[in-house]
mmCIF file of all heavy atoms in Angstrom:
data_model
loop_
_atom_site.group_PDB
_atom_site.id
_atom_site.type_symbol
_atom_site.label_atom_id
_atom_site.label_comp_id
_atom_site.label_asym_id
_atom_site.label_seq_id
_atom_site.Cartn_x
_atom_site.Cartn_y
_atom_site.Cartn_z
ATOM 1 N N GLN A 1247 7.525 -58.462 76.496
ATOM 2 C CA GLN A 1247 8.364 -57.296 76.530
ATOM 3 C C GLN A 1247 9.771 -57.631 76.984
ATOM 4 O O GLN A 1247 9.987 -58.261 78.007
ATOM 5 C CB GLN A 1247 7.742 -56.273 77.476
ATOM 6 C CG GLN A 1247 8.518 -54.988 77.504
ATOM 7 C CD GLN A 1247 7.767 -53.966 78.291
ATOM 8 O OE1 GLN A 1247 6.601 -54.143 78.559
ATOM 9 N NE2 GLN A 1247 8.429 -52.919 78.665
ATOM 10 N N LEU A 1248 10.767 -57.185 76.228
ATOM 11 C CA LEU A 1248 12.151 -57.427 76.552
ATOM 12 C C LEU A 1248 12.751 -56.213 77.223
ATOM 13 O O LEU A 1248 12.288 -55.089 77.084
ATOM 14 C CB LEU A 1248 12.935 -57.759 75.272
ATOM 15 C CG LEU A 1248 12.419 -58.983 74.494
ATOM 16 C CD1 LEU A 1248 13.278 -59.202 73.265
ATOM 17 C CD2 LEU A 1248 12.415 -60.219 75.367
ATOM 18 N N ALA A 1249 13.851 -56.452 77.953
ATOM 19 C CA ALA A 1249 14.493 -55.344 78.646
ATOM 20 C C ALA A 1249 15.087 -54.354 77.669
ATOM 21 O O ALA A 1249 15.162 -53.168 77.933
ATOM 22 C CB ALA A 1249 15.589 -55.869 79.581
ATOM 23 N N ASP A 1250 15.532 -54.802 76.524
ATOM 24 C CA ASP A 1250 16.045 -53.920 75.493
ATOM 25 C C ASP A 1250 14.890 -53.084 74.951
ATOM 26 O O ASP A 1250 13.932 -53.595 74.406
ATOM 27 C CB ASP A 1250 16.656 -54.761 74.370
ATOM 28 C CG ASP A 1250 17.232 -53.899 73.254
ATOM 29 O OD1 ASP A 1250 17.011 -52.671 73.266
ATOM 30 O OD2 ASP A 1250 17.897 -54.472 72.390
ATOM 31 N N ALA A 1251 14.978 -51.758 75.142
ATOM 32 C CA ALA A 1251 13.867 -50.895 74.740
ATOM 33 C C ALA A 1251 13.560 -51.011 73.267
ATOM 34 O O ALA A 1251 12.428 -50.784 72.841
ATOM 35 C CB ALA A 1251 14.187 -49.440 75.097
ATOM 36 N N SER A 1252 14.577 -51.388 72.465
ATOM 37 C CA SER A 1252 14.338 -51.490 71.026
ATOM 38 C C SER A 1252 13.432 -52.658 70.693
ATOM 39 O O SER A 1252 12.892 -52.735 69.605
ATOM 40 C CB SER A 1252 15.668 -51.645 70.291
ATOM 41 O OG SER A 1252 16.261 -52.888 70.598
ATOM 42 N N LEU A 1253 13.229 -53.593 71.642
ATOM 43 C CA LEU A 1253 12.378 -54.753 71.399
ATOM 44 C C LEU A 1253 11.130 -54.740 72.273
ATOM 45 O O LEU A 1253 10.364 -55.686 72.282
ATOM 46 C CB LEU A 1253 13.185 -56.038 71.673
ATOM 47 C CG LEU A 1253 14.417 -56.249 70.799
ATOM 48 C CD1 LEU A 1253 15.161 -57.495 71.262
ATOM 49 C CD2 LEU A 1253 14.046 -56.362 69.339
ATOM 50 N N SER A 1254 10.924 -53.664 73.009
ATOM 51 C CA SER A 1254 9.882 -53.623 74.016
ATOM 52 C C SER A 1254 8.481 -53.563 73.416
ATOM 53 O O SER A 1254 8.277 -53.027 72.348
ATOM 54 C CB SER A 1254 10.112 -52.403 74.905
ATOM 55 O OG SER A 1254 9.010 -52.196 75.748
ATOM 56 N N HIS A 1255 7.501 -54.094 74.177
ATOM 57 C CA HIS A 1255 6.106 -53.940 73.802
ATOM 58 C C HIS A 1255 5.590 -52.563 74.193
ATOM 59 O O HIS A 1255 4.565 -52.123 73.695
ATOM 60 C CB HIS A 1255 5.254 -54.998 74.496
ATOM 61 C CG HIS A 1255 5.299 -56.327 73.816
ATOM 62 N ND1 HIS A 1255 4.183 -57.086 73.576
ATOM 63 C CD2 HIS A 1255 6.338 -57.039 73.316
ATOM 64 C CE1 HIS A 1255 4.528 -58.222 72.969
ATOM 65 N NE2 HIS A 1255 5.822 -58.205 72.808
ATOM 66 N N TYR A 1256 6.223 -51.901 75.137
ATOM 67 C CA TYR A 1256 5.828 -50.572 75.572
ATOM 68 C C TYR A 1256 6.992 -49.614 75.368
ATOM 69 O O TYR A 1256 8.101 -49.847 75.839
ATOM 70 C CB TYR A 1256 5.448 -50.573 77.049
ATOM 71 C CG TYR A 1256 4.101 -51.191 77.338
ATOM 72 C CD1 TYR A 1256 3.977 -52.558 77.554
ATOM 73 C CD2 TYR A 1256 2.959 -50.410 77.402
ATOM 74 C CE1 TYR A 1256 2.740 -53.129 77.812
ATOM 75 C CE2 TYR A 1256 1.717 -50.967 77.666
ATOM 76 C CZ TYR A 1256 1.609 -52.326 77.876
ATOM 77 O OH TYR A 1256 0.385 -52.888 78.131
ATOM 78 N N ASP A 1257 6.726 -48.538 74.651
ATOM 79 C CA ASP A 1257 7.712 -47.479 74.496
ATOM 80 C C ASP A 1257 7.490 -46.503 75.646
ATOM 81 O O ASP A 1257 6.577 -45.679 75.614
ATOM 82 C CB ASP A 1257 7.504 -46.781 73.139
ATOM 83 C CG ASP A 1257 8.396 -45.577 72.964
ATOM 84 O OD1 ASP A 1257 9.260 -45.344 73.831
ATOM 85 O OD2 ASP A 1257 8.224 -44.855 71.966
ATOM 86 N N ASN A 1258 8.308 -46.608 76.674
ATOM 87 C CA ASN A 1258 8.089 -45.805 77.870
ATOM 88 C C ASN A 1258 8.885 -44.508 77.887
ATOM 89 O O ASN A 1258 9.182 -43.954 78.948
ATOM 90 C CB ASN A 1258 8.389 -46.639 79.117
ATOM 91 C CG ASN A 1258 7.275 -47.627 79.400
ATOM 92 O OD1 ASN A 1258 6.102 -47.307 79.251
ATOM 93 N ND2 ASN A 1258 7.623 -48.849 79.761
ATOM 94 N N ARG A 1259 9.211 -44.015 76.680
ATOM 95 C CA ARG A 1259 9.797 -42.680 76.606
ATOM 96 C C ARG A 1259 8.786 -41.646 77.096
ATOM 97 O O ARG A 1259 7.586 -41.890 77.128
ATOM 98 C CB ARG A 1259 10.157 -42.322 75.160
ATOM 99 C CG ARG A 1259 11.220 -43.151 74.510
ATOM 100 C CD ARG A 1259 11.367 -42.762 73.046
ATOM 101 N NE ARG A 1259 10.110 -42.925 72.319
ATOM 102 C CZ ARG A 1259 9.387 -41.918 71.854
ATOM 103 N NH1 ARG A 1259 9.753 -40.665 72.046
ATOM 104 N NH2 ARG A 1259 8.260 -42.160 71.189
ATOM 105 N N GLN A 1260 9.290 -40.468 77.450
ATOM 106 C CA GLN A 1260 8.431 -39.338 77.756
ATOM 107 C C GLN A 1260 8.744 -38.237 76.753
ATOM 108 O O GLN A 1260 9.534 -37.339 77.025
ATOM 109 C CB GLN A 1260 8.640 -38.867 79.191
ATOM 110 C CG GLN A 1260 8.249 -39.916 80.207
ATOM 111 C CD GLN A 1260 8.203 -39.366 81.622
ATOM 112 O OE1 GLN A 1260 8.198 -38.166 81.839
ATOM 113 N NE2 GLN A 1260 8.171 -40.254 82.593
ATOM 114 N N PRO A 1261 8.141 -38.302 75.567
ATOM 115 C CA PRO A 1261 8.429 -37.313 74.531
ATOM 116 C C PRO A 1261 7.972 -35.926 74.966
ATOM 117 O O PRO A 1261 7.159 -35.785 75.888
ATOM 118 C CB PRO A 1261 7.622 -37.813 73.326
ATOM 119 C CG PRO A 1261 6.561 -38.676 73.899
ATOM 120 C CD PRO A 1261 7.132 -39.279 75.136
ATOM 121 N N PRO A 1262 8.500 -34.876 74.319
ATOM 122 C CA PRO A 1262 8.155 -33.512 74.728
ATOM 123 C C PRO A 1262 6.666 -33.227 74.559
ATOM 124 O O PRO A 1262 6.026 -33.681 73.613
ATOM 125 C CB PRO A 1262 9.002 -32.637 73.794
ATOM 126 C CG PRO A 1262 9.337 -33.519 72.634
ATOM 127 C CD PRO A 1262 9.440 -34.895 73.186
ATOM 128 N N ILE A 1263 6.138 -32.456 75.515
ATOM 129 C CA ILE A 1263 4.738 -32.033 75.483
ATOM 130 C C ILE A 1263 4.688 -30.590 74.995
ATOM 131 O O ILE A 1263 5.469 -29.746 75.426
ATOM 132 C CB ILE A 1263 4.096 -32.145 76.870
ATOM 133 C CG1 ILE A 1263 4.146 -33.601 77.356
ATOM 134 C CG2 ILE A 1263 2.663 -31.654 76.861
ATOM 135 C CD1 ILE A 1263 3.603 -33.787 78.761
ATOM 136 N N GLY A 1264 3.765 -30.303 74.108
ATOM 137 C CA GLY A 1264 3.635 -28.956 73.579
ATOM 138 C C GLY A 1264 3.265 -27.947 74.650
ATOM 139 O O GLY A 1264 2.484 -28.230 75.556
ATOM 140 N N THR A 1265 3.833 -26.751 74.569
ATOM 141 C CA THR A 1265 3.517 -25.670 75.500
ATOM 142 C C THR A 1265 2.220 -24.996 75.085
ATOM 143 O O THR A 1265 2.009 -24.692 73.914
ATOM 144 C CB THR A 1265 4.655 -24.633 75.515
ATOM 145 O OG1 THR A 1265 5.855 -25.264 75.957
ATOM 146 C CG2 THR A 1265 4.330 -23.475 76.450
ATOM 147 N N VAL A 1266 1.335 -24.771 76.040
ATOM 148 C CA VAL A 1266 0.063 -24.113 75.738
ATOM 149 C C VAL A 1266 0.022 -22.678 76.239
ATOM 150 O O VAL A 1266 -0.895 -21.929 75.891
ATOM 151 C CB VAL A 1266 -1.123 -24.907 76.323
ATOM 152 C CG1 VAL A 1266 -1.193 -26.292 75.702
ATOM 153 C CG2 VAL A 1266 -1.032 -25.002 77.841
ATOM 154 N N GLY A 1267 0.997 -22.293 77.059
ATOM 155 C CA GLY A 1267 1.023 -20.923 77.545
ATOM 156 C C GLY A 1267 1.868 -20.778 78.786
ATOM 157 O O GLY A 1267 2.699 -21.634 79.091
ATOM 158 N N LYS A 1268 1.663 -19.652 79.496
ATOM 159 C CA LYS A 1268 2.426 -19.362 80.701
ATOM 160 C C LYS A 1268 1.492 -19.192 81.887
ATOM 161 O O LYS A 1268 0.474 -18.488 81.803
ATOM 162 C CB LYS A 1268 3.253 -18.077 80.534
ATOM 163 C CG LYS A 1268 4.503 -18.233 79.692
ATOM 164 C CD LYS A 1268 5.287 -16.935 79.659
ATOM 165 C CE LYS A 1268 6.594 -17.082 78.906
ATOM 166 N NZ LYS A 1268 7.545 -17.951 79.637
ATOM 167 N N LEU A 1269 1.839 -19.838 82.986
ATOM 168 C CA LEU A 1269 1.168 -19.647 84.258
ATOM 169 C C LEU A 1269 2.179 -18.930 85.135
ATOM 170 O O LEU A 1269 3.177 -19.515 85.553
ATOM 171 C CB LEU A 1269 0.756 -20.982 84.871
ATOM 172 C CG LEU A 1269 -0.084 -20.909 86.145
ATOM 173 C CD1 LEU A 1269 -1.418 -20.218 85.880
ATOM 174 C CD2 LEU A 1269 -0.323 -22.312 86.708
ATOM 175 N N GLY A 1270 1.948 -17.646 85.376
ATOM 176 C CA GLY A 1270 2.978 -16.838 86.016
ATOM 177 C C GLY A 1270 4.138 -16.645 85.063
ATOM 178 O O GLY A 1270 3.958 -16.246 83.913
ATOM 179 N N GLU A 1271 5.343 -17.004 85.500
ATOM 180 C CA GLU A 1271 6.531 -16.880 84.651
ATOM 181 C C GLU A 1271 6.918 -18.196 84.006
ATOM 182 O O GLU A 1271 7.908 -18.261 83.282
ATOM 183 C CB GLU A 1271 7.709 -16.358 85.491
ATOM 184 C CG GLU A 1271 7.499 -14.966 86.068
ATOM 185 C CD GLU A 1271 7.290 -13.928 84.976
ATOM 186 O OE1 GLU A 1271 8.014 -13.989 83.955
ATOM 187 O OE2 GLU A 1271 6.405 -13.068 85.133
#
């Protein structure tokens, strides 16, 4: 794994998680 994310063995982004509903507001 290289420090350049474009060459990395792990893509450590945190992509958006789908919303399943509302807890309170």
Side-chain angles (χ1 to χ4, degrees):
Q1247 183 172 345
L1248 301 180
D1250 181 351
S1252 67
L1253 299 176
S1254 170
H1255 279 225
Y1256 285 87
D1257 174 6
N1258 284 320
R1259 295 175 302 111
Q1260 296 191 15
I1263 300 177
T1265 299
V1266 298
K1268 284 183 176 292
L1269 186 62
E1271 297 300 318

